[in-house]
Amino acid sequence: MKKQQLDHWLQARKNESCEPPKVFVVSCADLSHYSLAVEYKHKLEPILVKDQLAYFNSLESVKDELRKLGLSSAYLRLHNAYDEFGHHGDVIYQDIELYLVS
């Protein structure tokens, strides 16, 4: 999903008083790069800027961008690369709610 589409979705939500989309900040537990994704039809769609995956170098820069979009919360989805060979059926990520306003 292009970032512009997400912008339009968020603006329409304000006008129609709909539920906000569920936005995820995605990263691996041992990396310091973050990308954005939005849940659409029960699947995560990555956010693209100029047809490239939007990357951020710090969690604070991601939070700043999400605040600019008007979001008050998002979810940090951390994947643990070392658990990929764990038990079948185990979840290999953890979602942590991020509050963007204090």
mmCIF file of all heavy atoms in Angstrom, residues 65-93:
data_model
loop_
_atom_site.group_PDB
_atom_site.id
_atom_site.type_symbol
_atom_site.label_atom_id
_atom_site.label_comp_id
_atom_site.label_asym_id
_atom_site.label_seq_id
_atom_site.Cartn_x
_atom_site.Cartn_y
_atom_site.Cartn_z
ATOM 1 N N GLU A 65 6.801 10.077 12.519
ATOM 2 C CA GLU A 65 6.056 9.946 11.267
ATOM 3 C C GLU A 65 4.608 9.545 11.529
ATOM 4 O O GLU A 65 3.677 10.077 10.913
ATOM 5 C CB GLU A 65 6.728 8.923 10.354
ATOM 6 C CG GLU A 65 6.087 8.763 9.010
ATOM 7 C CD GLU A 65 6.165 10.006 8.134
ATOM 8 O OE1 GLU A 65 7.121 10.788 8.278
ATOM 9 O OE2 GLU A 65 5.241 10.193 7.319
ATOM 10 N N LEU A 66 4.386 8.630 12.457
ATOM 11 C CA LEU A 66 3.033 8.184 12.773
ATOM 12 C C LEU A 66 2.214 9.296 13.429
ATOM 13 O O LEU A 66 1.019 9.425 13.173
ATOM 14 C CB LEU A 66 3.078 6.947 13.659
ATOM 15 C CG LEU A 66 3.660 5.692 12.993
ATOM 16 C CD1 LEU A 66 3.808 4.574 14.012
ATOM 17 C CD2 LEU A 66 2.819 5.249 11.818
ATOM 18 N N ARG A 67 2.861 10.114 14.267
ATOM 19 C CA ARG A 67 2.172 11.267 14.860
ATOM 20 C C ARG A 67 1.749 12.249 13.774
ATOM 21 O O ARG A 67 0.662 12.819 13.831
ATOM 22 C CB ARG A 67 3.077 11.964 15.868
ATOM 23 C CG ARG A 67 3.148 11.278 17.198
ATOM 24 C CD ARG A 67 3.925 12.119 18.215
ATOM 25 N NE ARG A 67 4.539 11.251 19.191
ATOM 26 C CZ ARG A 67 5.827 10.946 19.275
ATOM 27 N NH1 ARG A 67 6.686 11.474 18.436
ATOM 28 N NH2 ARG A 67 6.272 10.124 20.193
ATOM 29 N N LYS A 68 2.623 12.472 12.768
ATOM 30 C CA LYS A 68 2.288 13.372 11.662
ATOM 31 C C LYS A 68 1.064 12.870 10.903
ATOM 32 O O LYS A 68 0.292 13.664 10.370
ATOM 33 C CB LYS A 68 3.471 13.497 10.693
ATOM 34 C CG LYS A 68 4.623 14.288 11.234
ATOM 35 C CD LYS A 68 5.755 14.308 10.226
ATOM 36 C CE LYS A 68 7.031 14.836 10.833
ATOM 37 N NZ LYS A 68 8.163 14.716 9.893
ATOM 38 N N LEU A 69 0.910 11.561 10.857
ATOM 39 C CA LEU A 69 -0.257 10.974 10.181
ATOM 40 C C LEU A 69 -1.528 11.069 11.031
ATOM 41 O O LEU A 69 -2.611 10.744 10.564
ATOM 42 C CB LEU A 69 0.020 9.511 9.834
ATOM 43 C CG LEU A 69 1.069 9.262 8.765
ATOM 44 C CD1 LEU A 69 1.393 7.770 8.673
ATOM 45 C CD2 LEU A 69 0.600 9.783 7.419
ATOM 46 N N GLY A 70 -1.378 11.478 12.283
ATOM 47 C CA GLY A 70 -2.532 11.640 13.153
ATOM 48 C C GLY A 70 -2.885 10.416 13.972
ATOM 49 O O GLY A 70 -3.974 10.347 14.539
ATOM 50 N N LEU A 71 -1.985 9.466 14.059
ATOM 51 C CA LEU A 71 -2.254 8.255 14.835
ATOM 52 C C LEU A 71 -1.888 8.462 16.298
ATOM 53 O O LEU A 71 -0.924 9.170 16.614
ATOM 54 C CB LEU A 71 -1.467 7.078 14.272
ATOM 55 C CG LEU A 71 -1.910 6.598 12.899
ATOM 56 C CD1 LEU A 71 -0.903 5.631 12.325
ATOM 57 C CD2 LEU A 71 -3.269 5.937 12.994
ATOM 58 N N SER A 72 -2.636 7.844 17.185
ATOM 59 C CA SER A 72 -2.329 7.935 18.611
ATOM 60 C C SER A 72 -1.692 6.656 19.143
ATOM 61 O O SER A 72 -1.137 6.642 20.236
ATOM 62 C CB SER A 72 -3.591 8.255 19.409
ATOM 63 O OG SER A 72 -4.566 7.261 19.189
ATOM 64 N N SER A 73 -1.773 5.572 18.353
ATOM 65 C CA SER A 73 -1.120 4.328 18.760
ATOM 66 C C SER A 73 -0.837 3.475 17.526
ATOM 67 O O SER A 73 -1.419 3.677 16.466
ATOM 68 C CB SER A 73 -1.973 3.541 19.759
ATOM 69 O OG SER A 73 -3.139 3.070 19.135
ATOM 70 N N ALA A 74 0.080 2.546 17.695
ATOM 71 C CA ALA A 74 0.440 1.578 16.652
ATOM 72 C C ALA A 74 0.957 0.349 17.390
ATOM 73 O O ALA A 74 0.998 0.322 18.622
ATOM 74 C CB ALA A 74 1.492 2.156 15.717
ATOM 75 N N TYR A 75 1.362 -0.649 16.636
ATOM 76 C CA TYR A 75 1.888 -1.868 17.235
ATOM 77 C C TYR A 75 3.283 -2.127 16.715
ATOM 78 O O TYR A 75 3.522 -2.058 15.509
ATOM 79 C CB TYR A 75 0.989 -3.070 16.921
ATOM 80 C CG TYR A 75 -0.357 -2.956 17.574
ATOM 81 C CD1 TYR A 75 -1.398 -2.297 16.938
ATOM 82 C CD2 TYR A 75 -0.575 -3.468 18.843
ATOM 83 C CE1 TYR A 75 -2.629 -2.151 17.550
ATOM 84 C CE2 TYR A 75 -1.811 -3.331 19.459
ATOM 85 C CZ TYR A 75 -2.828 -2.673 18.808
ATOM 86 O OH TYR A 75 -4.037 -2.525 19.421
ATOM 87 N N LEU A 76 4.189 -2.412 17.622
ATOM 88 C CA LEU A 76 5.545 -2.802 17.262
ATOM 89 C C LEU A 76 5.552 -4.317 17.132
ATOM 90 O O LEU A 76 5.259 -5.032 18.087
ATOM 91 C CB LEU A 76 6.540 -2.348 18.335
ATOM 92 C CG LEU A 76 7.981 -2.788 18.158
ATOM 93 C CD1 LEU A 76 8.572 -2.209 16.877
ATOM 94 C CD2 LEU A 76 8.815 -2.350 19.362
ATOM 95 N N ARG A 77 5.814 -4.803 15.928
ATOM 96 C CA ARG A 77 5.870 -6.246 15.687
ATOM 97 C C ARG A 77 7.332 -6.640 15.558
ATOM 98 O O ARG A 77 8.000 -6.309 14.585
ATOM 99 C CB ARG A 77 5.109 -6.642 14.439
ATOM 100 C CG ARG A 77 5.232 -8.143 14.149
ATOM 101 C CD ARG A 77 4.213 -8.644 13.198
ATOM 102 N NE ARG A 77 2.919 -8.740 13.873
ATOM 103 C CZ ARG A 77 1.836 -9.247 13.314
ATOM 104 N NH1 ARG A 77 1.869 -9.693 12.089
ATOM 105 N NH2 ARG A 77 0.702 -9.297 13.980
ATOM 106 N N LEU A 78 7.826 -7.323 16.576
ATOM 107 C CA LEU A 78 9.208 -7.778 16.589
ATOM 108 C C LEU A 78 9.272 -9.251 16.220
ATOM 109 O O LEU A 78 8.635 -10.087 16.861
ATOM 110 C CB LEU A 78 9.825 -7.593 17.986
ATOM 111 C CG LEU A 78 10.148 -6.176 18.400
ATOM 112 C CD1 LEU A 78 10.649 -6.155 19.833
ATOM 113 C CD2 LEU A 78 11.178 -5.563 17.477
ATOM 114 N N HIS A 79 10.020 -9.530 15.177
ATOM 115 C CA HIS A 79 10.266 -10.919 14.780
ATOM 116 C C HIS A 79 11.545 -11.374 15.447
ATOM 117 O O HIS A 79 12.508 -10.628 15.545
ATOM 118 C CB HIS A 79 10.420 -11.026 13.260
ATOM 119 C CG HIS A 79 9.144 -10.811 12.534
ATOM 120 N ND1 HIS A 79 8.303 -11.835 12.200
ATOM 121 C CD2 HIS A 79 8.551 -9.677 12.093
ATOM 122 C CE1 HIS A 79 7.246 -11.348 11.570
ATOM 123 N NE2 HIS A 79 7.374 -10.042 11.489
ATOM 124 N N ASN A 80 11.552 -12.604 15.890
ATOM 125 C CA ASN A 80 12.743 -13.175 16.483
ATOM 126 C C ASN A 80 13.311 -14.187 15.501
ATOM 127 O O ASN A 80 12.797 -15.299 15.372
ATOM 128 C CB ASN A 80 12.427 -13.831 17.821
ATOM 129 C CG ASN A 80 13.675 -14.276 18.545
ATOM 130 O OD1 ASN A 80 14.753 -14.328 17.983
ATOM 131 N ND2 ASN A 80 13.515 -14.605 19.823
ATOM 132 N N ALA A 81 14.355 -13.800 14.814
ATOM 133 C CA ALA A 81 14.944 -14.656 13.777
ATOM 134 C C ALA A 81 15.473 -15.964 14.346
ATOM 135 O O ALA A 81 15.577 -16.956 13.633
ATOM 136 C CB ALA A 81 16.065 -13.912 13.072
ATOM 137 N N TYR A 82 15.792 -15.986 15.612
ATOM 138 C CA TYR A 82 16.372 -17.181 16.207
ATOM 139 C C TYR A 82 15.330 -18.230 16.566
ATOM 140 O O TYR A 82 15.664 -19.355 16.886
ATOM 141 C CB TYR A 82 17.198 -16.806 17.439
ATOM 142 C CG TYR A 82 18.241 -15.786 17.095
ATOM 143 C CD1 TYR A 82 18.121 -14.463 17.508
ATOM 144 C CD2 TYR A 82 19.329 -16.125 16.293
ATOM 145 C CE1 TYR A 82 19.066 -13.518 17.159
ATOM 146 C CE2 TYR A 82 20.276 -15.180 15.931
ATOM 147 C CZ TYR A 82 20.138 -13.885 16.373
ATOM 148 O OH TYR A 82 21.066 -12.951 16.009
ATOM 149 N N ASP A 83 14.054 -17.873 16.515
ATOM 150 C CA ASP A 83 12.984 -18.827 16.816
ATOM 151 C C ASP A 83 12.364 -19.431 15.568
ATOM 152 O O ASP A 83 11.356 -20.106 15.641
ATOM 153 C CB ASP A 83 11.873 -18.150 17.629
ATOM 154 C CG ASP A 83 12.241 -17.981 19.075
ATOM 155 O OD1 ASP A 83 13.219 -18.611 19.507
ATOM 156 O OD2 ASP A 83 11.555 -17.218 19.768
ATOM 157 N N GLU A 84 12.965 -19.210 14.412
ATOM 158 C CA GLU A 84 12.349 -19.699 13.175
ATOM 159 C C GLU A 84 12.314 -21.226 13.086
ATOM 160 O O GLU A 84 11.550 -21.796 12.335
ATOM 161 C CB GLU A 84 13.050 -19.115 11.960
ATOM 162 C CG GLU A 84 14.485 -19.526 11.808
ATOM 163 C CD GLU A 84 15.173 -18.807 10.663
ATOM 164 O OE1 GLU A 84 14.615 -17.886 10.095
ATOM 165 O OE2 GLU A 84 16.297 -19.214 10.359
ATOM 166 N N PHE A 85 13.152 -21.901 13.864
ATOM 167 C CA PHE A 85 13.147 -23.357 13.851
ATOM 168 C C PHE A 85 12.518 -23.920 15.120
ATOM 169 O O PHE A 85 12.776 -25.050 15.494
ATOM 170 C CB PHE A 85 14.583 -23.887 13.707
ATOM 171 C CG PHE A 85 15.221 -23.472 12.418
ATOM 172 C CD1 PHE A 85 16.258 -22.558 12.408
ATOM 173 C CD2 PHE A 85 14.766 -23.961 11.210
ATOM 174 C CE1 PHE A 85 16.840 -22.168 11.216
ATOM 175 C CE2 PHE A 85 15.336 -23.576 10.015
ATOM 176 C CZ PHE A 85 16.378 -22.672 10.023
ATOM 177 N N GLY A 86 11.663 -23.115 15.763
ATOM 178 C CA GLY A 86 10.983 -23.541 16.977
ATOM 179 C C GLY A 86 9.923 -24.582 16.679
ATOM 180 O O GLY A 86 9.831 -25.140 15.591
ATOM 181 N N HIS A 87 9.080 -24.800 17.633
ATOM 182 C CA HIS A 87 8.000 -25.777 17.488
ATOM 183 C C HIS A 87 7.009 -25.317 16.434
ATOM 184 O O HIS A 87 6.703 -24.140 16.313
ATOM 185 C CB HIS A 87 7.284 -25.971 18.826
ATOM 186 C CG HIS A 87 8.187 -26.479 19.903
ATOM 187 N ND1 HIS A 87 8.668 -27.755 19.910
ATOM 188 C CD2 HIS A 87 8.700 -25.858 20.977
ATOM 189 C CE1 HIS A 87 9.448 -27.912 20.960
ATOM 190 N NE2 HIS A 87 9.485 -26.778 21.632
ATOM 191 N N HIS A 88 6.500 -26.257 15.682
ATOM 192 C CA HIS A 88 5.516 -25.945 14.636
ATOM 193 C C HIS A 88 4.268 -25.320 15.260
ATOM 194 O O HIS A 88 3.748 -25.801 16.252
ATOM 195 C CB HIS A 88 5.141 -27.214 13.870
ATOM 196 C CG HIS A 88 4.173 -26.957 12.758
ATOM 197 N ND1 HIS A 88 4.528 -26.268 11.629
ATOM 198 C CD2 HIS A 88 2.865 -27.274 12.635
ATOM 199 C CE1 HIS A 88 3.476 -26.174 10.832
ATOM 200 N NE2 HIS A 88 2.453 -26.791 11.417
ATOM 201 N N GLY A 89 3.796 -24.248 14.665
ATOM 202 C CA GLY A 89 2.603 -23.589 15.164
ATOM 203 C C GLY A 89 2.874 -22.477 16.154
ATOM 204 O O GLY A 89 1.971 -21.729 16.508
ATOM 205 N N ASP A 90 4.110 -22.348 16.642
ATOM 206 C CA ASP A 90 4.443 -21.276 17.567
ATOM 207 C C ASP A 90 4.521 -19.947 16.822
ATOM 208 O O ASP A 90 4.912 -19.891 15.658
ATOM 209 C CB ASP A 90 5.790 -21.531 18.254
ATOM 210 C CG ASP A 90 5.700 -22.602 19.323
ATOM 211 O OD1 ASP A 90 4.576 -23.007 19.668
ATOM 212 O OD2 ASP A 90 6.763 -23.029 19.814
ATOM 213 N N VAL A 91 4.143 -18.896 17.470
ATOM 214 C CA VAL A 91 4.223 -17.557 16.889
ATOM 215 C C VAL A 91 5.675 -17.100 16.960
ATOM 216 O O VAL A 91 6.324 -17.207 17.999
ATOM 217 C CB VAL A 91 3.316 -16.581 17.667
ATOM 218 C CG1 VAL A 91 3.416 -15.182 17.112
ATOM 219 C CG2 VAL A 91 1.876 -17.064 17.629
ATOM 220 N N ILE A 92 6.191 -16.609 15.814
ATOM 221 C CA ILE A 92 7.606 -16.199 15.787
ATOM 222 C C ILE A 92 7.753 -14.680 15.842
ATOM 223 O O ILE A 92 8.768 -14.139 15.444
ATOM 224 C CB ILE A 92 8.324 -16.760 14.542
ATOM 225 C CG1 ILE A 92 7.648 -16.292 13.262
ATOM 226 C CG2 ILE A 92 8.413 -18.271 14.601
ATOM 227 C CD1 ILE A 92 8.431 -16.629 12.008
ATOM 228 N N TYR A 93 6.721 -14.011 16.344
ATOM 229 C CA TYR A 93 6.804 -12.564 16.523
ATOM 230 C C TYR A 93 6.041 -12.185 17.781
ATOM 231 O O TYR A 93 5.288 -12.986 18.340
ATOM 232 C CB TYR A 93 6.247 -11.813 15.317
ATOM 233 C CG TYR A 93 4.803 -12.110 15.008
ATOM 234 C CD1 TYR A 93 3.775 -11.457 15.679
ATOM 235 C CD2 TYR A 93 4.456 -13.055 14.064
ATOM 236 C CE1 TYR A 93 2.452 -11.744 15.417
ATOM 237 C CE2 TYR A 93 3.136 -13.342 13.784
ATOM 238 C CZ TYR A 93 2.141 -12.677 14.475
ATOM 239 O OH TYR A 93 0.834 -12.967 14.204
#
